[in-house]
Amino acid sequence: FTENIVLKVDPKDPVVEGSNVTLMCVADGNPPPTSFNFDLKGELVKVKNANTYTITNISRNNSGEYKCSLPDNPSMEATMNITVNFLDIKLYLNKTVIRRAGGSLNLSLDIDSSAKPTVSWTKGGVKMNKEPKNTELTYSDAGFYELEVTMGPLRRKASFHLIVEGAPVIRNLLKQHDRDGHHKVLICEAEGSPKPAVSWNINGTLIDEKSFDNGTITHKIAVVPSANLSVTCTVSNSFGIDTRVINVSSRK
């Protein structure tokens, strides 16, 4: 006769939603029993010539108390509580998000989980200390954002690409001496998106135009002034225009 009965679960904790879980009923005796009753949260399943029952694609609704017992002696039973871990996330944003500079992102994230998850953000593959800001967007906020939510072995991801558009603004208009002393190098630094067009009111030689990155453009030209000049840099795109003037002397 049987004196001890044990209910085992494979895999052991943590049980995660979507996995297959096998219940195993182990009883002693000589000979040991070969048939068992499994109580699946109130639903009775009889198993003959086996001591296991597998729940496929287990869901959060399967969390609860499970039992196994002997068909000829129902009072000889073993019980176990199973908690099915789950993690759902919903990011309420399109894959590509276009906003105006100074506007707001309206980031909305819903997380449904069986325990407290860990939330992390990256921008351009670089880890952020906090989630993306919602208000007063600047051109430097543009980029590719990825969210990762983890809870134990469960991992969920979501992402979006933020484009910040607006009229260009000249941030800096500088002059430098070139190494030969004859040329003056003029540098116009501006922000704006789409990429602003840069123009000057004098003829010069384009030295360098840095790649357009996160709404920032830097335009360098070399000039040989024959007189004192007022040089104007103009930047423009579909949203607007900005100009700034710098005085350039003909003296070395």
Side-chain angles (χ1 to χ4, degrees):
F1 66 97
T2 297
E3 292 183 340
N4 297 295
I5 187 169
V6 177
L7 178 58
K8 296 180 178 180
V9 176
D10 182 38
K12 295 177 181 177
D13 281 344
V15 174
V16 297
E17 191 169 58
S19 62
N20 296 340
V21 174
T22 298
L23 306 175
M24 179 182 294
C25 208
V26 181
D28 61 9
N30 191 14
T34 56
S35 298
F36 297 91
N37 287 344
F38 285 93
D39 184 339
L40 313 175
K41 292 177 60 184
E43 178 191 351
L44 194 66
V45 174
K46 298 180 179 181
V47 176
K48 292 184 177 180
N49 300 318
N51 69 336
T52 62
Y53 179 82
T54 298
I55 304 167
T56 58
N57 195 23
I58 199 166
S59 78
R60 65 197 69 182
N61 299 325
N62 297 126
S63 291
E65 186 179 65
Y66 290 79
K67 301 177 183 177
C68 74
S69 60
L70 301 182
D72 55 358
N73 185 9
S75 63
M76 181 64 68
E77 67 175 16
T79 64
M80 174 175 281
N81 271 306
I82 295 178
T83 300
V84 181
N85 292 275
F86 61 90
L87 176 61
D88 294 332
I89 69 169
K90 176 69 175 177
L91 183 62
Y92 295 95
L93 278 176
N94 294 329
K95 286 292 183 184
T96 300
V97 181
I98 301 173
R99 294 287 187 269
R100 291 292 295 271
S104 57
L105 182 59
N106 296 325
L107 180 70
S108 180
L109 171 66
D110 279 350
I111 300 176
D112 187 16
S113 59
S114 52
K116 186 176 175 60
T118 299
V119 179
S120 63
W121 286 92
T122 58
K123 180 190 176 198
V126 179
K127 187 173 173 59
M128 302 175 68
N129 293 326
K130 55 186 178 180
E131 71 175 27
K133 67 178 182 178
N134 262 329
T135 57
E136 293 295 317
L137 293 172
T138 64
Y139 296 113
S140 62
D141 292 318
F144 180 73
Y145 292 85
E146 189 167 49
L147 160 73
E148 185 174 77
V149 183
T150 56
M151 191 198 73
L154 296 175
R155 187 179 305 264
R156 303 285 183 263
K157 287 186 175 184
S159 62
F160 66 95
H161 185 244
L162 174 63
I163 298 170
V164 180
E165 292 186 335
V169 177
I170 295 175
R171 295 300 182 197
N172 258 319
L173 184 53
L174 311 167
K175 58 186 174 184
Q176 297 173 348
H177 287 288
D178 201 8
R179 286 177 187 153
D180 64 10
H182 298 296
H183 292 78
K184 295 286 176 68
V185 177
L186 305 182
I187 305 167
C188 192
E189 297 175 352
E191 287 185 328
S193 184
K195 180 182 177 179
V198 182
S199 62
W200 303 81
N201 68 329
I202 61 168
N203 289 327
T205 305
L206 178 64
I207 300 176
D208 180 35
E209 181 183 329
K210 286 187 178 173
S211 61
F212 182 61
D213 182 37
N214 278 357
T216 302
I217 189 168
T218 302
H219 210 264
K220 290 184 183 181
I221 64 167
V223 295
V224 184
S226 57
N228 293 346
L229 297 173
S230 291
V231 180
T232 304
C233 177
T234 302
V235 291
S236 60
N237 67 11
S238 55
F239 288 99
I241 190 168
D242 192 23
T243 63
R244 194 180 286 194
V245 177
I246 192 170
N247 292 315
V248 180
S249 68
S250 60
R251 296 191 306 274
K252 289 185 180 180

